[in-house]
């Protein structure tokens, strides 16, 4: 049998590279729970985010902005901890802003949400497609509300109702604004559908064939079943008519099904603190705690503009200094080359003058040895003279004695004391080394005539 050539299949899911992309990073010491929150936010924004991005301590925000254009990143989410201990979330539209700063009042991690569920399901393939975004409670007439909604809407891909496939809509992110305490509730849900008006016994038949050995007829099994859970729990608001076939038993086209949401996590309560122009450096457009008058805003704009102009001027001066330094290096190299050529030309001219003078005075051309000696440069002469002096100094002894002693003359022996003689005599006889000597007599001495102080001293007898 002839082996057929294998055809290449798709190696990536179509549509993963389309739409906005995000970087979710942390800055500073965030703590273990803060890092886990950052990873959970990444998981909720998959697949259009950098899943395995590693943020180093020395990385700055500018580094991520420079790389964002290469990877098609449109938004940067930065988690940090303030001096007071609050966790802050900054949402930046790269590369020109604006920047929205939120305070995370409280949060619950993904693992804690899953542990709190009564029946936890495996959510392995739900992150293959981007989530839906549902914004509720925001007032479009308020400027900062409108800016918040547009920022989050641009962070996730848009949905075309006419061409979308219901099978790809597996998750949703809900952002609910509460006007009472001015907070935003961030929730992440899994979307599932169950058929409405179906008996529980029929549901079991749809999933798998149960044990019917204890029933005489299948009608007994169906009549003994209870009503569907969706009939008792799900209201008419959660029931829809499916325009397409959906994954799951009984979710067929034109049938009525109930939509159910299962929370995945993380859960966050956000409070908008301020909105800035640019990426963290610019004019403050809105601040929830600090209110400024029109004059103060005008003065602040002048200060920001002055700082920007000063930065540009310093940058231009630095570029000019770099160019001047490079030009100076080229001039120095040129000067050194010209100087070397000039010295070589001067040495040749001096050599010709020497030969001409020698032939004029003596009447014949100089020998080759004289010419070789004349070709020696100052540096070679100095090096040679230094070498000769070293050789001469090496031959001289280091210390010259004016009155040298004869070699045959022996050194005079040191005078032996009574104690040393006795010690040697005892050693020769084989006695112990510990030799005791009798105490010598004490003699009184007078120190000076001016002071009549008497003292005691030990004097040895001269041998």
């Amino acid at each position: 049998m002839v082996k057929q050539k294998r055809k290449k299949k798709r190696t990536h899911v179509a549509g993963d590279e389309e739409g906005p992309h995000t970087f979710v990073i942390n800055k500073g010491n965030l703590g273990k729970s803060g890092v886990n929150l950052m990873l959970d936010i990444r998981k909720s924004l998959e697949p259009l985010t950098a899943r395995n991005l590693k943020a180093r301590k020395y990385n700055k925000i500018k580094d991520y902005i420079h790389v964002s254009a290469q990877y098609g990143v449109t938004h940067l989410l930065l988690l940090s901890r303030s001096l007071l201990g609050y966790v802050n979330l900054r949402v930046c539209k790269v590369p020109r802003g604006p920047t929205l700063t939120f305070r995370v009042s409280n949060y619950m991690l993904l693992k804690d949400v899953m542990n709190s569920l009564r029946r936890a399901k495996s959510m392995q393939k739900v992150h293959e497609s981007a989530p839906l975004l549902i914004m509720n409670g925001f007032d479009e007439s308020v400027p900062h509300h409108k800016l918040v909604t547009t920022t989050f809407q641009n962070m996730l891909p848009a949905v075309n109702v006419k061409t979308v496939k219901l099978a790809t809509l597996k998750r949703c992110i809900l952002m609910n604004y509460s006007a009472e305490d001015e907070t935003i509730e961030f929730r992440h849900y899994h979307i599932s559908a169950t058929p409405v008006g179906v008996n529980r016994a029929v549901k079991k038949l749809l999933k798998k064939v149960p044990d019917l050995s204890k029933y005489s007829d299948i009608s007994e099994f169906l009549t003994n079943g209870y009503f569907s859970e969706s009939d008792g729990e799900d209201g008419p608001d959660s029931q829809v008519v499916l325009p397409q076939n959906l994954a799951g038993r009984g979710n067929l086209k034109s049938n009525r099904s109930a939509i159910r949401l299962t929370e995945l996590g993380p859960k966050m309560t956000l409070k908008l603190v301020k909105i800035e122009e640019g990426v963290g450096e610019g004019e403050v457009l809105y601040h929830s705690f600090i209110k400024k008058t029109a004059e103060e805003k005008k003065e602040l704009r002048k200060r920001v503009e002055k700082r920007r102009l000063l930065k540009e001027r310093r940058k231009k001066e630095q570029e000019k200094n770099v160019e001047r330094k490079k030009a100076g290096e080229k001039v120095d190299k040129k000067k050194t080359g010209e100087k070397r050529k000039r010295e070589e030309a001067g040495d040749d001219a001096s050599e010709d003058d020497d030969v001409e003078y020698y032939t004029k005075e003596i009447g014949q051309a100089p020998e080759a040895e004289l010419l070789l000696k004349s070709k020696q440069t100052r540096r070679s002469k100095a090096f040679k003279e230094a070498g000769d002096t070293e050789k001469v100094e090496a031959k001289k002894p280091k210390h010259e004695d004016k009155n040298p002693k004869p070699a045959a003359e022996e050194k005079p022996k040191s005078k032996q004391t009574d104690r040393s003689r006795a010690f040697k005599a005892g050693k020769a006889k084989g006695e112990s080394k510990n030799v005791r000597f009798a105490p010598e007599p004490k003699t009184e001495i007078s120190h000076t005539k001016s002071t009549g102080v008497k003292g005691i001293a030990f004097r040895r007898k001269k041998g």
Side-chain angles (χ1 to χ4, degrees):
M1 186 176 178
V2 181
K3 193 174 181 180
Q4 293 181 356
K5 190 176 180 181
R6 186 176 65 87
K7 294 182 180 180
K8 185 179 178 181
K9 297 181 180 180
R10 290 184 299 172
T11 55
H12 66 282
V13 180
D16 280 1
E17 298 179 359
E18 299 175 0
H21 288 68
T22 57
F23 276 164
V24 185
I25 59 172
N26 65 310
K27 196 71 176 172
N29 187 12
L30 197 58
K32 188 176 180 180
S33 60
V35 173
N36 290 334
L37 177 63
M38 178 200 69
L39 297 176
D40 292 348
I41 293 173
R42 280 186 189 177
K43 200 167 186 66
S44 65
L45 295 175
E46 285 182 7
L48 302 178
T49 187
R51 185 186 305 170
N52 300 321
L53 179 65
K54 292 182 180 180
R56 308 294 183 185
K57 290 182 180 179
Y58 52 81
N59 289 135
K60 297 182 180 179
I61 299 176
K62 289 183 180 179
D63 301 335
Y64 297 103
I65 294 171
H66 292 322
V67 176
S68 61
Q70 184 178 356
Y71 292 100
V73 176
T74 56
H75 290 78
L76 177 67
L77 279 74
L78 180 66
L79 281 161
S80 61
R81 190 177 291 276
S82 65
L83 296 174
L84 299 175
Y86 294 108
V87 177
N88 294 328
L89 172 65
R90 282 186 284 175
V91 182
C92 310
K93 177 72 173 67
V94 292
R96 296 183 180 179
T99 302
L100 281 69
T101 304
F102 297 92
R103 177 184 291 175
V104 184
S105 302
N106 51 65
Y107 60 91
M108 192 173 182
L109 300 177
L110 186 145
K111 60 178 182 180
D112 299 328
V113 174
M114 296 299 289
N115 291 334
S116 65
L117 295 176
R118 187 182 299 175
R119 295 177 182 177
K121 299 179 182 179
S122 61
M123 306 292 180
Q124 295 180 355
K125 296 183 179 181
V126 296
H127 298 280
E128 292 179 355
S129 58
L132 289 171
L133 179 64
I134 303 171
M135 308 288 289
N136 182 42
F138 290 91
D139 189 2
E140 294 290 334
S141 61
V142 181
H144 60 273
H145 281 203
K146 189 175 182 180
L147 190 56
V148 170
T149 54
T150 52
T151 301
F152 280 99
Q153 284 172 358
N154 295 330
M155 198 167 61
L156 292 171
V159 177
N160 190 351
V161 180
K162 295 180 180 180
T163 59
V164 69
K165 293 183 180 180
L166 295 181
T168 59
L169 305 179
K170 298 178 181 179
R171 295 179 298 136
C172 70
I173 291 176
L174 172 64
M175 299 193 72
N176 182 40
Y177 178 76
S178 176
E180 295 178 0
D181 50 1
E182 296 182 350
T183 56
I184 302 170
E185 296 291 334
F186 180 94
R187 296 289 186 271
H188 183 211
Y189 294 101
H190 170 248
I191 304 172
S192 60
T194 54
V196 177
V198 180
N199 196 325
R200 187 179 294 180
V202 177
K203 282 187 180 181
K204 289 183 179 179
L205 286 173
L206 291 173
K207 291 180 181 178
K208 64 178 181 179
V209 179
D211 185 12
L212 302 174
S213 59
K214 57 183 179 179
Y215 299 105
S216 59
D217 190 13
I218 194 170
S219 60
E220 294 180 7
F221 173 74
L222 296 174
T223 54
N224 289 335
Y226 299 97
F227 287 104
S228 173
E229 292 179 356
S230 59
D231 292 340
E233 296 179 4
D234 302 322
D237 296 336
S238 62
Q239 298 177 7
V240 294
V241 178
L242 298 178
Q244 301 173 10
N245 290 338
L246 196 61
R249 300 291 181 92
N251 294 324
L252 302 175
K253 184 179 178 181
S254 302
N255 287 355
R256 185 174 289 275
S257 296
I259 304 299
R260 292 185 179 179
L261 301 179
T262 306
E263 192 158 12
L264 297 176
K267 295 166 63 175
M268 291 188 293
T269 304
L270 307 175
K271 184 175 179 59
L272 181 64
V273 177
K274 63 177 178 178
I275 301 173
E276 300 174 89
E277 282 185 348
V279 183
E281 47 181 15
E283 183 186 351
V284 178
L285 303 176
Y286 168 79
H287 205 291
S288 60
F289 301 117
I290 301 171
K291 306 295 181 183
K292 292 188 176 182
T293 59
E295 295 179 357
E296 291 176 343
K297 289 181 181 179
K298 191 176 181 181
E299 186 179 351
L300 186 62
R301 288 193 193 97
K302 288 181 180 178
R303 201 185 307 162
V304 171
E305 186 67 20
K306 187 177 179 181
R307 196 187 307 152
R308 186 183 63 79
L309 293 173
L310 181 62
K311 188 177 180 180
E312 290 180 358
R313 190 181 68 189
R314 285 179 178 174
K315 193 173 181 180
K316 289 179 181 178
E317 288 178 0
Q318 191 176 6
E319 290 175 356
K320 287 180 181 178
N321 292 336
V322 171
E323 291 177 0
R324 187 167 62 249
K325 189 176 180 181
K326 289 181 179 179
E329 289 177 357
K330 290 180 180 179
V331 171
D332 292 340
K333 287 180 181 179
K334 191 175 181 181
K335 284 182 179 179
T336 51
E338 291 176 357
K339 188 177 180 181
R340 195 177 297 143
K341 289 179 182 179
R342 207 181 304 120
E343 287 177 356
E344 291 175 359
D347 293 341
D348 295 340
S350 60
E351 185 180 347
D352 295 340
D353 295 341
D354 293 340
V355 172
E356 187 178 353
Y357 176 78
Y358 187 87
T359 51
K360 187 177 180 181
E361 292 292 330
I362 297 175
Q364 60 181 4
E367 297 178 359
E369 294 180 359
L370 293 173
L371 290 173
L372 287 172
K373 288 181 180 180
S374 64
K375 284 183 179 179
Q376 291 179 353
T377 60
R378 295 177 184 176
R379 189 174 182 181
S380 61
K381 287 178 184 178
F383 182 75
K384 190 174 181 181
E385 288 174 3
D388 294 341
T389 53
E390 286 179 2
K391 288 179 182 178
V392 172
E393 289 176 359
K395 291 178 182 178
K396 292 181 181 180
K398 293 183 179 179
H399 303 286
E400 294 182 358
D401 296 336
K402 295 181 180 179
N403 300 321
K405 294 180 181 180
E409 187 178 350
E410 295 181 357
K411 294 181 180 180
K413 296 182 179 179
S414 60
K415 294 181 180 180
Q416 294 181 352
T417 60
D418 296 339
R419 182 171 290 188
S420 62
R421 286 197 196 99
F423 180 76
K424 285 182 180 180
K427 194 175 181 182
K429 291 178 182 179
E431 297 176 358
S432 62
K433 294 182 180 180
N434 299 328
V435 181
R436 294 182 180 181
F437 299 95
E440 296 182 358
K442 299 177 182 179
T443 57
E444 293 183 359
I445 58 173
S446 58
H447 291 282
T448 57
K449 292 181 180 181
S450 60
T451 60
V453 180
K454 292 183 178 181
I456 299 172
F458 292 96
R459 292 186 178 178
R460 295 176 181 173
K461 294 179 182 180
K462 294 182 180 180

